[in-house]
Amino acid sequence: MATVLAIETSCDETAVAIVNNRQVCSSIVASQIPVHQQYGGVVPEVASREHLATINEAIAQALEQAQLDWEKIDGIAATCAPGLVGALLVGLTAAKTLAMVHNKPFLGVHHLEGHIYATYLSEPSLNPPFLSLLVSGGHTSLIYVRDCGNYQTLGETRDDAAGEAFDKVARLLKLGYPGGPVIDKLAQAGNPQAFTLPEGKVSLPGGGYHRYDASFSGLKTAVLRLVQQLEKDSEQIPVADVAASFQETVARSLTKRAIACALDYGLDTISVGGGVAANSGLRKNLQAAAAENNLRVLFPALKFCTDNAAMIGCAATDHLSRGHTSPLTLGVESRLGLTQVMKLYQPVE
Ligand code: KG4
Ligand code: ZN
């Protein structure tokens, strides 16, 4: 059993949490969304500055909320990849400094491994193997989770990530940033069958289609054309119906691929992670299809779908209990595949 203080600053949330294995002792998430909203998306330089201004207070709050002092902390962790380099550096430097000052082990954590671990916070009895559907603003993948640090990518998006598609469609519907939550809310008042949109398939060289890879850029363009056509016909844009039809198409595409993959690989559990795991259309679609196929589908609590430090802490406690620690020379990386996770830790003696 290990207690870890974890920091997450890979994008636009400054987050600090204290986690004891799969139990959250405290979780602070200071969102920068209002700051970036005026620009219509995340501005990397602004994100770094905001992290810097907020991080110390967030650390103090996490300790206070957990009512713990440094003596009770067994290790200090921070997200080190993938993400915005300047933003990652703020959290990583803070974690390394604290580890040095308090003489504690330091761990760098892969952001996507964190998203996989978010499900453990609400389902502590879950253990590998299982299939993870990771759907965030930057990634859309199907991952065979074999063990802590042992991942195989089975499917990916060939272009836009699912969350990115939500954000881009929201922008063209003039709904602001971030698009996912707004579209989700609007879609509840719309008709998902109002418009037929292309699901986006990835062709195989010998003919046919890839069963697990997705593509969302065609869908985004189809929504753009639909809106342009409606505008040309001088019709008022039925925004709720467009949002509902788009959301339904994304949900159907992700569900179909996740179910096919789980069945093909003989995995009976699908765990979903990342911001889009909060989407009500995806939750409904996947739950119904899983039940039909005798599969179990698990989602993190809504607050642990989007970026947070509790999921990073949960992954770090698992690594720490296996003797994995990172050297203080560890740097940040904007891109790093999940198969490279063990590169972050020094060999266990
Ligand atoms: O995991 P996350 O917080 O950050 C990344 O690692 O990227 O995911 C953010 C993404 C954004 O694209 C946001 O629009 C999307 O998740 N998102 C949603 C919902 N809530 C957040 N997409 C669809 N429905 C939602 N309810
Ligand atoms: Zn994320």
Side-chain angles (χ1 to χ4, degrees):
M1 293 289 261
T3 302
V4 164
L5 181 138
I7 302 176
E8 152 65 44
T9 60
S10 67
C11 191
D12 59 353
E13 327 276 358
T14 314
V16 183
I18 298 177
V19 178
N20 177 263
N21 284 26
R22 296 179 172 189
Q23 199 198 323
V24 183
C25 307
S26 64
S27 176
I28 306 294
V29 180
S31 180
Q32 303 177 1
I33 288 173
V35 182
H36 296 288
Q37 249 158 4
Q38 56 186 308
Y39 307 106
V42 178
V43 182
E45 179 60 26
V46 174
S48 313
R49 284 163 193 257
E50 287 290 317
H51 286 311
L52 210 47
T54 318
I55 189 81
N56 286 336
E57 179 58 25
I59 293 167
Q61 282 181 10
L63 285 162
E64 195 188 309
Q65 198 182 77
Q67 295 200 302
L68 288 175
D69 53 34
W70 292 108
E71 265 169 48
K72 297 281 184 331
I73 307 287
D74 303 307
I76 302 184
T79 308
C80 60
L84 303 170
V85 167
L88 286 166
L89 262 176
V90 176
L92 194 77
T93 309
K96 283 185 192 174
T97 310
L98 290 170
M100 264 192 280
V101 169
H102 298 286
N103 198 23
K104 310 276 182 193
F106 157 71
L107 296 98
V109 176
H110 192 290
H111 183 76
L112 295 182
E113 189 175 41
H115 275 305
I116 293 172
Y117 271 74
T119 304
Y120 292 138
L121 300 172
S122 45
E123 299 285 339
S125 60
L126 174 66
N127 278 307
F130 56 87
L131 182 70
S132 173
L133 169 64
L134 285 182
V135 275
S136 69
H139 296 87
T140 295
S141 333
L142 282 163
I143 309 285
Y144 192 139
V145 179
R146 293 180 194 278
D147 198 358
C148 170
N150 187 349
Y151 307 103
Q152 182 187 356
T153 304
L154 301 175
E156 274 179 317
T157 176
R158 293 296 175 103
D159 37 63
D160 293 348
E164 191 180 354
F166 270 93
D167 294 336
K168 286 179 175 171
V169 165
R171 199 173 307 152
L172 73 89
L173 291 173
K174 302 186 177 64
L175 300 174
Y177 175 85
V182 192
I183 291 195
D184 197 349
K185 198 152 169 243
L186 264 174
Q188 294 178 23
N191 172 11
Q193 261 74 52
F195 302 102
T196 308
L197 295 163
E199 186 186 291
K201 291 178 180 160
V202 179
S203 304
L204 286 168
Y209 297 99
H210 202 290
R211 280 167 72 75
Y212 316 138
D213 283 352
S215 162
F216 294 115
S217 81
L219 169 59
K220 169 195 65 193
T221 309
V223 176
L224 176 66
R225 300 262 179 279
L226 171 66
V227 170
Q228 285 170 337
Q229 190 59 49
L230 290 168
E231 274 168 353
K232 209 166 115 201
D233 300 343
S234 316
E235 283 181 40
Q236 191 154 11
I237 312 291
V239 182
D241 286 347
V242 176
S245 304
F246 163 75
Q247 178 167 294
E248 176 72 11
T249 311
V250 175
R252 231 186 308 117
S253 161
L254 292 171
T255 297
K256 200 156 99 186
R257 283 160 179 78
I259 299 281
C261 193
L263 293 175
D264 290 355
Y265 280 82
L267 294 166
D268 63 4
T269 301
I270 301 171
S271 156
V272 192
V276 185
N279 186 261
S280 61
L282 176 62
R283 286 182 172 235
K284 213 161 67 195
N285 249 273
L286 197 51
Q287 251 146 4
E292 262 172 43
N293 289 279
N294 286 321
L295 298 170
R296 183 166 69 136
V297 60
L298 302 171
F299 294 89
L302 284 181
K303 64 178 172 190
F304 295 134
C305 288
T306 43
D307 289 348
N308 64 89
M311 65 183 196
I312 303 299
C314 188
T317 55
D318 209 356
H319 280 289
L320 190 59
S321 64
R322 289 157 199 255
H324 305 163
T325 60
S326 307
L328 285 170
T329 50
L330 185 79
V332 301
E333 287 189 56
S334 61
R335 298 168 70 95
L336 184 75
L338 255 180
T339 50
Q340 305 285 305
V341 164
M342 289 313 295
K343 214 179 96 172
L344 307 175
Y345 306 104
Q346 40 214 355
V348 180
E349 281 142 35

